[in-house]
Amino acid sequence: MESSRRNFMKIGGACALGLGALPIVKAYAKNEKPQVAPDSKALVATKWAMVIDMKKCWEKGKPGCKDCLLACHSVHNVPEIKTIKEEIKWIWNEQYEHAFPGQENHFLPEEIRQKPFIVLCNHCTNPPCVRVCPTKATFKRKDGITMMDYHRCIGCRYCMAGCPYGARSFNFRDPRPYIQTELNMTYPTRERGVVEKCSFCDERLAVGLLPACVEACKCGALCFGDIEDPNSEVRKLLASRFTIRRKPELGTQPSVYYIV
Amino acid sequence: MLERALTGDQKYYRWITALLILMGLGFAAYLVQLNKGLTITGMSRDVSWGFYIAQFTFLVGVAASAVMVVLPYYLHDVKVFGRITILGEFLAVASVTMCLLFIVVDLGKPMRLLNVLLYPTPNSILFWDMIVLNGYLFLNILIGWNVLEAERKGVHYPNWVKPLIYLSIPWAVSIHTVTAFLYAGLPARHYWLTAIMAARFLASAFASGPALLILLAFLVKRYTRFDPGREAIDKLSQIVTYAMIISVFFVGLEFFTAFYSRIPSHMHALQYLFVGLEGHRNLVPFMWLFAILAIVALVLLINPSTRKNDRTLKIACAAVFFSMWLEKGLGLVVAGFIPNPFDQVREYTPSILELMIALGVWATGFFVLTILYKIAASVKEEVA
């Protein structure tokens, strides 16, 4: 076979490229997943859901109470970045017209129009954020929790464009200097360049604790449980009270319900 | 053939130096971004994609320059395009290069870029966009380079190139379609949630890509001894005319659906763009400029006497290119985020550093383009 240095270089280059691509082939071919034994105290569910009784919150809670928000943000080392543009929010307050846009009218009771609604990630059954993520950095757990892998996220922010609820925050800057609460050493802080959001306290469920917001609420306005279990507290509430969800017309099937 | 890019007259070197300086400035600005994060941009948790992604979206369209000469030449035997297919293909290479760079500079964690390959996710449109864009880049490099090399040697290009040429035609359609799908499948972004998004992308691409190609063909004719040919430019200008008419028509369709149905969420983004929403009107002047330029372009293009006149054709092409840039490279992406999911208007203004990085990417694209066109023109001069 006649060959030249030029051809030799070409073939050599192609081989090097092939060898370089080997890890990718392995990644595609990989099948088994790492196994981790669950904690025996862990709270488990077929599908986690939350029912928020806003009436209870407004009537029984002290005015301007932010216990649930503060508990969450301190447990998860959520930084307090004061600019509207770069705020990091896991759970926060919105007015009715912002939480439920398109459903407001001029004649709603003053209470509904003025009082704060608690909003957080809805852990949708059909989450658009999971559908669009190009690396599976955000994914759906078997128990219904929409999770984030901060170590895999490439920061493309496609999930933020996908989320209909504005539940996702991007770390535009290094968040660590902005953590105002006492650092919780058992929960990781985030780096700049990744997206973060509420995780239904997966880390607390794993050791048998309820989500921080649920635990912090002194008037029991937040109810958390297995929506697939007919005897669970959330199911009883859903069966006995009228509830609404945010933007139900989009078909995302939020797992957070509101009693108003 | 690459050595042809190393020799040139003083003008050529001056142009290359100017581009290198802009690239250097852009890179320096990017280092600041790498160091401080995307906080140096004007983006926010409400408008989470900005100038970078908008440029990317527009430039995917410019890459259509290739298919609009390749398709008529290879499928319809339009012989006048034979001389300029290489210009179309190399312009596509430069635009797709810019597209990929704009994606990279937009990432919060660029060092994790390869996660897209390591954890392939077929349900994500971004994954497919990565595939079609890289595929289109390689197709055009392979085809352009081999055809040009064969031309230099005075032989027919290798047979294996032909299937790739045919493949590049539907592949070009795929890059616009998949890029449109990035936007058109998101449930709560009403401005993007339209079935004609992909059709709009194709139409505006077939207008802006060939329009730039015409302008470049005039430049090549002026600065080299290679003449792309008046007939080719005539044919291209017809393509631009039809594509521009369809493009503007499609924008009109969006207006009808939004304002006849009078569904507020469908009207909001268009209101924001053209008249302002709740007192926020950052983009209003730009969108009216788009409308004026589009009309100017249409008048000059539809009228045969102005379309066939070099001077007015150049103005028309510049108007097409700039108006489509305003519509896609400015309005489309930003307005998709306005109002935000809470029905609030949070505006976006790009920062200086952000614009510098974008300028650096554009300079990189034009650097690649200059090198490739220099090679192509030298080869053409040589064999002529």
Side-chain angles (χ1 to χ4, degrees), chain A residues 6 10 23-24 27-28 30 84-90 92 94 97-99 101-102 104 119 128 130-137 149-174 191-194 246-247 249-250 252, chain B residues 33-50 52-53 106-127 130-131 145 149 153 181-183 185-190 192 337 340-344 346-349:
Chain A
R6 190 183 161 89
K10 274 185 191 167
I24 297 170
Y28 276 75
K30 197 164 66 184
I84 286 178
K85 291 173 96 166
E86 297 184 19
E87 265 181 310
I88 309 283
K89 300 191 274 197
W90 284 34
W92 69 103
E94 286 286 348
E97 57 168 330
H98 297 310
E104 71 277 19
V119 295
V130 171
R131 195 152 60 234
V132 299
C133 176
T135 59
K136 303 191 193 84
D149 182 343
Y150 304 120
H151 302 279
R152 189 183 286 189
C153 175
I154 60 171
C156 71
R157 311 189 294 299
Y158 200 3
C159 55
M160 296 176 80
C163 177
Y165 305 103
R168 295 178 157 270
S169 308
F170 180 71
N171 287 287
F172 284 92
R173 62 178 84 181
D174 181 9
E191 283 182 20
R192 112 173 97 69
V194 298
R246 293 173 67 199
K247 302 186 181 177
E249 71 279 9
L250 301 176
T252 55
Chain B
Q33 181 183 301
L34 210 54
N35 210 20
K36 295 200 170 155
L38 286 159
T39 178
I40 61 118
T41 69
M43 287 184 273
S44 61
R45 82 190 298 288
D46 296 298
V47 183
S48 46
W49 282 340
Y52 299 148
I53 293 296
D106 185 68
L107 293 180
K109 285 272 176 214
M111 57 297 258
R112 294 183 187 166
L113 178 68
L114 291 176
N115 277 3
V116 180
L117 290 174
L118 286 171
Y119 309 104
T121 313
N123 50 270
S124 172
I125 301 294
L126 205 55
F127 169 77
M130 179 272 298
I131 289 181
W145 196 265
E149 197 169 36
K153 291 177 182 160
F181 283 0
L182 282 180
Y183 301 101
L186 301 179
R189 305 289 174 187
H190 300 284
W192 298 338
F337 291 102
N340 72 2
F342 302 98
D343 218 10
Q344 295 156 314
R346 297 271 159 78
E347 290 198 282
Y348 160 81
T349 317

Side-chain angles (χ1 to χ4, degrees), chain B residues 139-332:
Chain B
L139 275 177
N140 278 295
I141 292 177
L142 267 179
I143 295 167
W145 196 265
N146 277 292
V147 172
L148 190 67
E149 197 169 36
E151 194 175 331
R152 181 178 66 100
K153 291 177 182 160
V155 294
H156 192 266
Y157 52 80
N159 280 330
W160 57 264
V161 176
K162 195 81 182 213
L164 292 184
I165 293 172
Y166 288 134
L167 178 66
S168 79
I169 294 169
W171 202 288
V173 178
S174 82
I175 63 168
H176 308 295
T177 310
V178 174
T179 307
F181 283 0
L182 282 180
Y183 301 101
L186 301 179
R189 305 289 174 187
H190 300 284
Y191 188 46
W192 298 338
L193 192 70
T194 163
I196 64 163
M197 189 62 105
R200 271 179 73 188
F201 271 47
L202 283 161
S204 71
F206 293 164
S208 55
L212 182 60
L213 190 57
I214 291 175
L215 293 173
L216 289 171
F218 278 120
L219 279 176
V220 167
K221 190 181 166 187
R222 187 166 157 196
Y223 288 107
T224 72
R225 276 172 289 125
F226 165 53
D227 181 7
R230 181 66 225 189
E231 269 176 89
I233 287 177
D234 267 345
K235 270 268 178 312
L236 266 181
S237 67
Q238 285 168 17
I239 291 173
V240 176
T241 310
Y242 279 112
M244 190 64 189
I245 293 170
I246 297 169
S247 254
V248 172
F249 175 63
F250 281 168
V251 175
L253 296 185
E254 298 284 5
F255 268 93
F256 174 79
T257 304
F259 289 94
Y260 196 79
S261 70
R262 301 203 64 80
I263 299 173
S265 56
H266 288 253
M267 295 189 291
H268 280 157
L270 285 170
Q271 284 169 331
Y272 171 69
L273 285 175
F274 286 90
V275 292
L277 193 61
E278 294 167 20
H280 300 278
R281 51 186 76 235
N282 265 359
L283 284 177
V284 173
F286 294 101
M287 292 317 281
W288 282 100
L289 185 59
F290 149 71
I292 293 164
L293 285 172
I295 291 167
V296 168
L298 282 180
V299 169
L300 291 178
L301 284 171
I302 292 173
N303 187 341
S305 61
T306 44
R307 191 177 64 239
K308 293 204 168 84
N309 175 304
D310 276 5
R311 248 179 71 98
T312 41
L313 177 61
K314 279 179 207 164
I315 297 171
C317 285
V320 167
F321 187 77
F322 197 56
S323 69
M324 286 292 125
W325 180 77
L326 289 166
E327 199 264 329
K328 250 168 116 185
L330 211 62
L332 183 91

Side-chain angles (χ1 to χ4, degrees), chain B residues 1-2 4-6 12 15-16 19 90 145 365-378:
Chain B
M1 292 195 291
L2 211 54
R4 282 168 180 78
L6 298 177
Y12 174 71
W15 170 242
I16 290 284
L19 288 176
F90 281 171
W145 196 265
F366 274 90
F367 182 80
V368 172
L369 185 73
T370 309
I371 299 288
L372 291 175
Y373 270 31
K374 175 73 173 54
I375 295 168
S378 314

